[in-house]
Amino acid sequence: MKSDAKNPGKELYQQLRRRSCAQLWLEEVPRFDRAAPRERFERVALVRAVGVVFSEGGTAAEKDAARAWLRGLLHDPEEKIRRYAMAALPKIGAGAGEETELLALLQTTASEREKKFLGQALDKIGGAATLDAAVALPAQTAQKVAAHVARSASPSAVRLDRALADFAGLRIHLRGRAGLEKIVRAEVEERGQKFRVAEVRRELVALTPVAPFSLADIFALRCFGTVGFVLGTAPVSDGPDAIEKLAAAITSPLARHLFATFTEGAPRYRLDFIAKGHQRGAVRLLANCAYALCPDLLNDPRSAPWAIDIHPAGRGCTAELRPRLSPDPRLWFRQQDVPAASHPPLAACMARLAGRVENDIVWDPFCGSGLELIERTFLGGVRSVFGTDLSAGAIAISRANFAAAQLGSVPAQFTCADFRDFAIVPGLGPEGATLIITNPPMGMRVPIPNLRGLIEDLFATAAAVLRPGGRLVFANPLRLENRQPALRLQSRETVDFGGFDCRLEMYRKAAR
Ligand SMILES: C[S@@+](CC[C@H](N)C(=O)[O-])C[C@H]1O[C@@H](n2cnc3c(N)ncnc32)[C@H](O)[C@@H]1O
């Protein structure tokens, strides 16, 4: 561990940070106030400690007193003490009075370092007064304050119902887990009359619109993970050229048209460099460059309705505008979740792999929160549904989710049981189901003592419970071949399960 012995300021801060509001206020603050300039300079860590300790505790009156003390320090003759006070103030909820004071200092100071600290404090507490002030703000501060003001005035939201009539040249990227692309494509071709598939690549199905469309039309598709509108590309992924091209893409007429059509309120976006880790420097540069080109589009990492994702593409990168919708509108029925719930688009893909068969009797032996059963029922043609799970909590959740999905006319029975005890479920005897669709435990979060045995038992149970011609669709976490002669492999695809590969398999029980 690093020692703070060579850094007495840090060591003092660690000590003061552990003290209570009362100790700081009754002992340390008076000592600091009485001290000679040199000692005050050496004990400046107290200013930081007051900001942190009073942000975590203290009554409203105590916070007010601490804030007034820090405000007084903004006029200290020692610049370092002023800077510490600027950094500490936003932590305890500074308001309009402090904002005015910081702005006044910004007008008078000649120190670039002090201007930077004032900018950082205003980033956090600045409002309309900062925007109106006749002072030159650093680009980042101006944008952060504008975003803060816009956010406070109206939260702004993505509009699902507005149609984009002028779509010429637009490319839409549906992104999802590797291995599911064919199913995503098939869903678009079958259901997405307003879109044409332009290209399929690993983890990506690219579409071009062929008719005016709304975001609701896109979210009628259930198998993709996220959707992004391509705003433009940069032929290189780093350096000033890339930043300039990406900023031009983010502020292009196309981007502005998309923001204007699909946003209620001020357009705010969060920037993410995908696959590059946390890139604070690049985010700041790009956000500042885009702001200089178009001050109406605001970069705002906090609760922004949009994300602009920078994806690597060959040697360059692509900027994509993605709605940040949480919860996903496709999960409108979800009341609750289980910890090992399936990735929702995967459940939808599994349902489509199973296909719509009239009068299907569907069983999920490991139903969890019920996603696969709900997705299959959404496709239609289901006569009845059975869900079993060892967890009573999961059974209650799947029951609630299924009821909320308003699939009322389809009878559903949820039973807390080991799947091997299927015979206790009324109606679910041998040859009782036409489809078994399931995402079994994988042993990742909760260790499964004998996963191999469990999967073998699943094959044996499926061979018994399925009617001739019935299907088993499941995510096989093991490279384990079926040994039930009655079950024939129909399809197998390796799918990314979020960090590990799994095989999505479909078997059909042989006709007698
Ligand atoms: C991967 S989760 C299923 C998630 C579900 N598809 C969903 O979307 O919420 C696996 C489930 O299997 C259940 N489970 C584990 N062993 C079981 C067994 N022997 N019989 C029945 N359920 C079991 C767990 O309680 C867990 O809810």
Side-chain angles (χ1 to χ4, degrees):
M1 235 169 69
K2 255 187 169 172
S3 158
D4 292 335
K6 287 201 193 106
N7 190 341
K10 200 167 170 191
E11 200 179 359
L12 177 62
Y13 170 70
Q14 297 299 350
Q15 282 171 19
L16 295 170
R17 164 87 185 76
R18 287 193 289 272
R19 309 204 70 187
S20 66
C21 291
Q23 286 169 327
L24 291 183
W25 193 247
L26 298 175
E27 296 165 25
E28 298 298 337
V29 167
R31 173 177 170 184
F32 184 90
D33 286 344
R34 280 194 308 270
R38 187 180 171 82
E39 187 185 346
R40 286 163 68 86
F41 185 83
E42 285 166 0
R43 296 189 68 78
V44 70
L46 172 67
V47 181
R48 184 173 168 210
V50 165
V52 172
V53 174
F54 280 80
S55 75
E56 293 166 354
T59 62
E62 286 165 346
K63 282 185 204 290
D64 283 348
R67 200 180 298 115
W69 181 69
L70 290 172
R71 205 166 145 176
L73 296 182
L74 291 176
H75 303 286
D76 198 277
E78 176 55 60
E79 188 202 297
K80 188 170 183 183
I81 293 177
R82 295 202 299 273
R83 278 195 278 113
Y84 269 61
M86 284 164 207
L89 264 172
K91 291 195 173 39
I92 45 178
E98 288 76 19
E99 184 186 8
T100 311
E101 203 119 9
L102 293 170
L103 286 168
L105 275 174
L106 194 58
Q107 263 164 333
T108 51
T109 184
S111 151
E112 285 308 315
R113 188 160 57 169
E114 189 160 22
K115 279 185 191 161
K116 187 173 141 206
F117 274 76
L118 284 163
Q120 283 169 359
L122 287 166
D123 278 1
K124 298 186 187 96
I125 66 161
T130 303
L131 286 187
D132 292 344
V135 283
L137 297 169
Q140 195 182 339
T141 302
Q143 182 163 201
K144 279 194 176 169
V145 175
H148 172 67
V149 169
R151 202 184 322 118
S152 316
S154 125
S156 70
V158 169
R159 289 290 302 255
L160 286 169
D161 54 341
R162 293 230 183 103
L164 184 84
D166 180 9
F167 52 82
L170 183 63
R171 186 174 160 104
I172 301 170
H173 279 178
L174 301 183
R175 294 187 177 269
R177 299 252 172 109
L180 299 176
E181 300 86 350
K182 277 190 224 151
I183 303 177
V184 174
R185 173 187 198 141
E187 185 188 30
V188 174
E189 288 176 343
E190 188 191 312
R191 300 203 50 197
Q193 289 86 355
K194 297 185 172 177
F195 310 100
R196 188 176 60 76
V197 174
E199 191 189 353
V200 178
R201 289 205 307 255
R202 187 180 155 81
E203 299 178 353
L204 174 73
V205 175
L207 312 181
T208 47
V210 292
F213 69 94
S214 65
L215 280 169
D217 292 318
I218 297 179
F219 281 91
L221 302 166
R222 306 189 64 80
C223 294
F224 71 87
T226 60
V227 57
F229 299 109
V230 177
L231 301 180
T233 57
V236 287
S237 63
D238 277 317
D241 267 10
I243 296 291
E244 212 174 284
K245 288 264 179 348
L246 291 172
I250 291 173
T251 56
S252 63
L254 168 67
R256 282 188 261 177
H257 184 46
L258 291 168
F259 274 121
T261 307
F262 293 136
T263 318
E264 185 74 55
R268 294 182 292 112
Y269 66 92
R270 181 198 156 94
L271 258 180
D272 280 316
F273 279 81
I274 308 293
K276 264 196 171 182
H278 198 53
Q279 287 257 328
R280 280 175 78 169
V283 165
R284 199 178 53 242
L285 274 177
L286 180 51
N288 289 348
C289 194
Y291 185 66
L293 293 173
C294 179
D296 293 337
L297 298 182
L298 297 169
N299 173 241
D300 183 13
R302 286 174 55 188
S303 59
W306 294 94
I308 292 181
D309 298 330
I310 311 298
H311 288 274
R315 277 193 286 163
C317 50
T318 302
E320 287 181 21
L321 178 64
R322 169 173 59 83
R324 295 175 80 211
L325 293 162
S326 179
D328 187 319
R330 296 172 293 183
L331 299 179
W332 52 270
F333 57 83
R334 184 137 93 173
Q335 306 294 299
Q336 244 186 296
D337 209 355
V338 296
S342 306
H343 177 55
L346 171 71
C349 286
M350 289 175 68
R352 291 195 72 84
L353 182 61
R356 177 184 166 135
V357 168
E358 290 310 313
N359 287 318
D360 237 358
I361 303 170
V362 188
W363 176 33
D364 185 342
F366 310 96
C367 67
S369 60
L371 285 185
E372 285 78 3
L373 290 174
I374 292 169
E375 289 294 344
R376 170 61 195 91
T377 311
F378 277 154
L379 293 181
V382 171
R383 191 204 294 176
S384 60
V385 155
F386 297 96
T388 50
D389 199 291
L390 266 186
S391 151
I395 287 298
I397 290 171
S398 49
R399 198 176 277 136
N401 286 343
F402 199 86
Q406 295 169 357
L407 303 160
S409 59
V410 175
Q413 253 191 85
F414 294 96
T415 310
C416 181
D418 187 298
F419 75 101
R420 301 169 187 96
D421 299 330
F422 63 87
I424 67 166
V425 180
L428 193 64
E431 302 201 350
T434 57
L435 169 65
I436 296 176
I437 181 167
T438 197
N439 201 341
M442 308 270 158
M444 293 290 166
R445 273 174 242 224
V446 182
I448 304 292
N450 180 5
L451 187 57
R452 209 180 163 79
L454 182 136
I455 300 297
E456 272 169 357
D457 288 350
L458 176 62
F459 279 125
T461 304
V465 172
L466 285 176
R467 291 187 182 169
R471 298 98 72 218
L472 164 65
V473 171
F474 90 113
N476 187 345
L478 303 174
R479 300 204 159 261
L480 179 70
E481 295 300 329
N482 158 53
R483 288 188 302 186
Q484 298 296 321
L487 297 178
R488 310 272 158 79
L489 183 67
Q490 303 275 290
S491 71
R492 172 181 281 161
E493 192 72 57
T494 301
V495 173
D496 169 18
F497 260 57
F500 63 98
D501 283 350
C502 212
R503 299 202 298 199
L504 189 54
E505 298 177 341
M506 175 150 104
Y507 295 83
R508 192 176 288 278
K509 184 168 171 181
R512 259 197 295 266

